[in-house]
Amino acid sequence: MHKTIIQFISRPKNTCTILFALLLISCTDKPNLPDPLEAGWNNKAVCEVVEDNDAIRVLKCTFEPGVGHEEHFHNPHYGYTIAGSKFKIKDTTGTREVNVPTGYSFSKDKISTHEVLNIGDSTAVFLIVEYK
């Protein structure tokens, strides 16, 4: 697809053609899903902004038992578990149940997508640090 677009760009007839081709290229970078702040559970927010500056955005996400996070995407990020629980996670590798312990950290260096549900009996809290 990119080769076709590059050939298309190399012979533009006007500025609108170039802008349309660039829009097509940029649309392939991010999934058509909400980000973690926009995504919620049953129309309720589960994340709040703790810090937002030129370098990072920090979210605090809280999941009571039975509460999840609808399918969403993450930009590259680092996460830290303030309070753990047991989760059902659905992502590109399938669906699995995992115990996420307090103090557990994780990171992704590329855009990722998933949906989670707290199937444990305690409230879980995460900090998500997104790089800008």
Side-chain angles (χ1 to χ4, degrees):
M1 177 175 158
H2 289 292
K3 183 178 178 184
T4 304
I5 292 173
I6 290 169
Q7 289 171 342
F8 187 66
I9 292 173
S10 67
R11 295 187 312 253
K13 303 235 187 262
N14 59 41
T15 305
C16 291
T17 302
I18 292 172
L19 292 175
F20 179 71
L22 290 174
L23 177 63
L24 286 176
I25 291 170
S26 67
C27 287
T28 62
D29 292 338
K30 290 191 179 180
N32 190 21
L33 294 170
D35 77 2
L37 184 60
E38 297 165 334
W41 189 254
N42 295 330
N43 296 316
K44 288 186 164 184
V46 294
C47 296
E48 62 184 286
V49 176
V50 175
E51 176 69 28
D52 194 355
N53 60 46
D54 291 338
I56 61 170
R57 179 173 80 164
V58 180
L59 303 175
K60 179 181 173 188
C61 303
T62 304
F63 305 95
E64 294 179 6
V67 172
H69 208 179
E70 68 188 31
E71 188 176 16
H72 60 282
F73 81 92
H74 283 275
N75 284 318
H77 64 282
Y78 167 83
Y80 181 79
T81 309
I82 296 172
S85 191
K86 185 174 184 178
F87 280 84
K88 183 177 183 180
I89 301 173
K90 180 180 176 184
D91 62 17
T92 58
T93 64
T95 302
R96 63 196 179 283
E97 293 181 4
V98 295
N99 286 310
V100 183
T102 298
Y104 177 76
S105 64
F106 51 92
S107 64
K108 295 280 186 172
D109 60 357
K110 60 183 180 176
I111 293 174
S112 59
T113 63
H114 67 205
E115 178 179 330
V116 301
L117 175 63
N118 183 350
I119 59 173
D121 56 7
S122 59
T123 298
V125 181
F126 298 90
L127 284 180
I128 306 294
V129 181
E130 302 171 327
Y131 315 115
K132 291 187 178 178

